[in-house]
Amino acid sequence: GAPSTSPEFLRQYFGPSTEDVRKREPLGLLENAPKAILSDFPPAFALIGEYEFPPLLQSHGNFVPVLRSKISSPVEELLMKGHNHLSPSYSLFSGEGEDWGFEVSSWMKGRSR
């Protein structure tokens, strides 16, 4: 079946209690990150698939604004057209759907100068 965001599904990833889930999920980790880590945080590039599972699209939409508010480095976003959660990695070197990879490569090269 389709992935679930039920409490049981989330506990399998992040821990047995609702508090564990909230503390260990990406947004919880970001919200509780030490200032020393956030002050040295590098530029970020947040990617999301166009056909992502709706709860993950929502999580992405919640995470990126908080990241932008917590770090002083730029945060760019890319909607990977035609992709879901798994397809980006499979598209590399296939000749189709690789545009996102070229954009990430260009972004990385722009940071290495």
Side-chain angles (χ1 to χ4, degrees):
S4 170
T5 55
S6 69
E8 181 54 35
F9 180 81
L10 293 173
R11 283 194 287 273
Q12 291 175 12
Y13 277 93
F14 301 116
S17 73
T18 301
E19 183 179 322
D20 288 333
V21 170
R22 180 68 185 117
K23 186 174 22 171
R24 294 177 181 161
E25 68 178 344
L27 184 57
L29 291 171
L30 176 60
E31 288 174 337
N32 294 303
K35 289 185 192 278
I37 289 175
L38 296 173
S39 66
D40 278 344
F41 209 87
F45 201 3
L47 287 75
I48 189 75
E50 179 180 20
Y51 301 118
E52 188 59 80
F53 186 56
L56 291 178
L57 282 169
Q58 181 180 358
S59 292
H60 176 89
N62 294 338
F63 184 86
V64 171
V66 174
L67 180 60
R68 284 187 173 125
S69 75
K70 295 268 187 182
I71 66 172
S72 59
S73 299
V75 178
E76 295 182 46
E77 288 184 86
L78 175 65
L79 178 67
M80 296 179 290
K81 300 271 185 187
H83 285 290
N84 60 32
H85 194 68
L86 299 176
S87 62
S89 58
Y90 293 117
S91 72
L92 292 177
F93 302 104
S94 72
E96 293 184 33
E98 299 174 301
D99 296 348
W100 74 271
F102 292 112
E103 291 192 47
V104 170
S105 177
S106 176
W107 181 84
M108 291 173 70
K109 288 176 183 175
R111 305 284 157 310
S112 65
R113 294 177 191 166

